[in-house]
Amino acid sequence: MRTLRGLMSELNSSVSDLSPNASIPEPREAFDSVATRARKQANRSSVANLEVMRNVELQALWKNVRGSQKYLPAIPGRHIVLEQANWVELDAATWKAKRQAHIFLLNDHLMVATKKKIRMDPSNMVNGDTDPKPMTTLVAEKCWALQDIDMIDLASMSNAQDRHEMAQAISIRSGHESFTYRYERPSSSEKTNLLHAFRRATEELRQAFRADKAMDIKNQEAMRYNTASTGTMSKPTDKLGSHSDPQDRPEVLIEVDGKQQNLRWVEGQIDELDIDIALQRFEEAVRQVEKLRSIAKGLKGSSIAQHSITTKVDGRADKLAGLVTQRLTDTHSHSKATQMNVAWLVRLGFDDRARESFLKARSGTITTQARRCIFEGDLQDYIFQVSFVYFTIMKNTVKIYQQCFPPPMMSACVKWAKEQLDGFNVILARQLSSIQRGSQTWNECMEQAKEHAMLVDEVGLDFKGLVRVKGDDEAV
């Protein structure tokens, strides 16, 4: 469209120069007009030569890459911006190389071709060779429109230990799919050239789209004006109805940090959130969830957009909370790690899940450690081991819980500690069931359990009087 508009404007100017009503120019003016026409003719020739060159490049692409014509048919203005070989597609889970790739960047599409071996037809062989060898050729594998994808530099997003390995890697995201590619030569600048060319082509495509849209709106307004001037204007309701067309609806704008952003920008932020979750960058992901929720909450004028953003963010927040919960379960014995994990879950709005997961993990630790205590004939020593395990872990659990959760939530921890004490009393009663009540062994075991129960006094719990055997009327 832009090329046709330029040619039309030049044609109009040439016609106006050749108009019979035009005055006869002076010699100097005549010389200037001739030079101008010659320059315009040269420009038109250069434009035509450029179109021919682009068509030749496109036809060479169809010839060298099988299946490319299906993805990239000939349309006016389509041309190749950048072509790069020596890329390798990586497995998203293991970062291992899968196959070699060839990237073609056009002004409106991005195509990836892979090398495949194809056996030649024996009928086309010469010199009597009856064993045709496979021929390597490029086959079009994937192709996307530029406005439907994002290209991300993984060098700035990798951890310190992976930064060297991923220095030449990029990620192409299309919807919920993600593809990773790495350039084979570490010291090359081809990746940077591709990123810059992609951003430039994407921006030019957006500008062309905006220009075409503005031209369409201008033409519609001109048609409405002409219709109104001829007296054939329809009822006012028809004009209102025209604004109900989705293309004519005003775009929803959101003010973020003093700048106006559209819903396309919000989608980009959600994509960044997906990347943070996939790479388990929990602090950045939690901060992004808080930001998007604040944006959705501030959308007072569009309930549909607010509901859409809230639904997408809540789904990702639940997925993120699942990953953090698993991390909390794995590192519940470490105070600092537990504080960080609980803080993330609380900021995401999953404080109940954080509390339940932490206490459940601690219960599992008590059970596991108690089972490691082996009875070898000395009952007093066995009671010493079990009671020490129970009350030491209870003390540490309450201490970590107090550091992670506010005082109003302390009742859940006290309830959990009481349940663990009841479990210990069951073990104590089972071990002393064959011992005469009030005997020396009985008293020594109870005194040992009582002494270890005093460990939780450090965290504000008085369980010394609650250590008892079922059926005993007195607390020991």
Side-chain angles (χ1 to χ4, degrees):
M1 286 297 294
R2 293 194 301 274
T3 304
L4 292 177
R5 291 194 190 106
L7 294 175
M8 287 297 297
S9 63
E10 294 176 4
L11 180 61
N12 291 334
S13 63
S14 300
V15 172
S16 62
D17 291 340
L18 298 177
S19 175
N21 296 330
S23 59
I24 300 176
E26 295 295 331
R28 178 64 181 175
E29 295 177 354
F31 177 78
D32 292 341
S33 63
V34 170
T36 302
R37 285 197 296 270
R39 185 166 58 253
K40 291 180 178 179
Q41 182 66 30
N43 291 337
R44 285 194 292 271
S45 299
S46 63
V47 171
N49 293 336
L50 181 61
E51 289 297 327
V52 171
M53 182 180 66
R54 289 175 175 176
N55 289 334
V56 171
E57 290 179 350
L58 203 58
Q59 291 176 5
L61 175 66
W62 298 341
K63 181 179 179 181
N64 297 328
V65 182
R66 292 197 173 192
S68 59
Q69 190 171 4
K70 176 182 66 175
Y71 294 114
L72 302 170
I75 62 174
R78 172 170 287 170
H79 61 277
I80 299 175
V81 177
L82 186 65
E83 175 184 353
Q84 289 184 349
N86 300 320
W87 285 89
V88 176
E89 183 177 358
L90 303 181
D91 187 273
T94 61
W95 303 110
K96 292 183 179 180
K98 293 172 59 177
R99 50 193 169 184
Q100 293 184 342
H102 204 105
I103 295 181
F104 298 88
L105 175 64
L106 285 82
N107 63 313
D108 57 348
H109 280 74
L110 180 72
M111 185 180 71
V112 176
T114 58
K115 293 183 179 181
K116 293 186 178 180
K117 293 183 179 180
I118 300 177
R119 286 192 171 275
M120 299 180 62
D121 188 358
S123 61
N124 297 331
M125 300 300 296
V126 294
N127 299 329
D129 190 357
T130 59
D131 186 15
K133 297 180 180 179
M135 179 182 63
T136 302
T137 184
L138 289 174
V139 178
E141 190 72 23
K142 304 178 185 68
C143 188
W144 308 276
L146 293 186
Q147 64 268 22
D148 296 337
I149 63 173
D150 290 321
M151 185 178 294
I152 302 165
D153 185 3
L154 294 182
S156 59
M157 304 174 60
S158 304
N159 298 327
Q161 56 184 1
D162 300 332
R163 190 166 298 153
H164 178 72
E165 182 180 359
M166 306 306 294
Q168 295 293 329
I170 61 172
S171 175
I172 299 176
R173 295 185 58 84
S174 175
H176 297 290
E177 295 181 318
S178 178
F179 304 92
T180 305
Y181 299 92
R182 184 180 64 198
Y183 198 72
E184 289 185 333
R185 300 175 183 175
S187 59
S188 176
S189 61
E190 295 297 322
K191 184 198 74 169
T192 305
N193 297 337
L194 176 61
L195 290 170
H196 290 170
F198 173 81
R199 292 164 185 165
R200 185 169 58 252
T202 304
E203 184 60 28
E204 291 177 355
L205 193 64
R206 290 174 181 171
Q207 292 177 359
F209 176 76
R210 295 192 193 102
D212 293 340
K213 189 174 182 180
M215 183 63 68
D216 293 339
I217 294 175
K218 186 176 181 180
N219 294 336
Q220 291 177 4
E221 292 177 351
M223 292 178 62
R224 290 172 185 169
Y225 176 78
N226 293 334
T227 304
S229 63
T230 57
T232 58
M233 188 70 178
S234 58
K235 295 181 181 180
T237 54
D238 294 337
K239 186 175 181 180
L240 294 175
S242 65
H243 286 290
S244 63
D245 190 357
Q247 295 182 352
D248 296 334
R249 291 176 183 170
E251 188 175 14
V252 178
L253 296 178
I254 308 165
E255 185 173 353
V256 181
D257 298 333
K259 297 181 181 180
Q260 295 291 332
Q261 305 289 354
N262 55 16
L263 293 180
R264 177 81 176 178
W265 178 86
V266 177
E267 290 291 339
Q269 297 297 308
I270 295 177
D271 291 340
E272 291 184 7
L273 174 59
D274 289 334
I275 295 173
D276 291 334
I277 294 175
L279 297 177
Q280 295 190 6
R281 299 188 302 192
F282 296 117
E283 178 61 32
E284 291 82 355
V286 172
R287 192 183 304 120
Q288 192 77 344
V289 169
E290 293 175 332
K291 180 180 178 181
L292 291 171
R293 282 177 172 173
S294 177
I295 292 174
K297 188 176 181 180
L299 280 175
K300 301 297 184 183
S302 178
S303 59
I304 297 178
Q306 184 181 34
H307 177 73
S308 176
I309 296 174
T310 302
T311 302
K312 292 180 179 180
V313 174
D314 288 346
R316 287 159 175 81
D318 185 72
K319 179 180 179 181
L320 177 60
L323 295 175
V324 177
T325 301
Q326 182 61 44
R327 190 171 185 266
L328 172 63
T329 304
D330 296 338
T331 61
H332 60 86
S333 299
H334 304 281
S335 178
K336 291 185 178 180
T338 302
Q339 292 182 46
M340 187 178 298
N341 295 327
V342 170
W344 286 333
L345 290 173
V346 171
R347 289 166 61 187
L348 291 173
F350 295 93
D351 45 352
D352 291 339
R353 183 186 297 187
R355 181 185 67 248
E356 294 171 0
S357 300
F358 173 68
L359 295 179
K360 182 178 179 181
R362 299 301 290 175
S363 298
T365 301
I366 290 180
T367 303
T368 302
Q369 296 299 328
R371 287 176 179 174
R372 292 182 178 179
C373 300
I374 301 174
F375 179 68
E376 296 179 346
D378 189 343
L379 181 59
Q380 184 178 356
D381 181 65
Y382 179 75
I383 296 297
F384 176 91
Q385 297 179 38
V386 174
S387 61
F388 181 80
V389 166
Y390 262 84
F391 291 106
T392 300
I393 296 179
M394 288 168 60
K395 180 193 70 173
N396 295 335
T397 301
V398 175
K399 184 180 296 185
I400 297 175
Y401 190 95
Q402 290 173 340
Q403 296 172 351
C404 298
F405 296 94
M409 300 177 65
M410 191 61 196
S411 59
C413 184
V414 174
K415 180 182 177 182
W416 172 86
K418 180 60 170 60
E419 292 175 352
Q420 303 307 314
L421 175 63
D422 293 341
F424 171 75
N425 286 338
V426 171
I427 296 176
L428 185 62
R430 184 170 60 247
Q431 296 299 325
L432 296 179
S433 60
S434 59
I435 305 299
Q436 183 179 0
R437 189 183 303 268
S439 62
Q440 181 180 359
T441 303
W442 172 283
N443 293 332
E444 289 177 352
C445 291
M446 296 301 294
E447 286 297 329
Q448 187 62 69
K450 171 184 173 181
E451 181 180 352
H452 284 159
M454 295 174 64
L455 291 173
V456 296
D457 291 348
E458 300 178 14
V459 292
L461 299 181
D462 186 8
F463 282 174
K464 182 175 67 172
L466 298 179
V467 177
R468 66 176 75 230
V469 175
K470 186 176 181 182
D472 192 2
D473 295 332
E474 296 181 356
V476 181

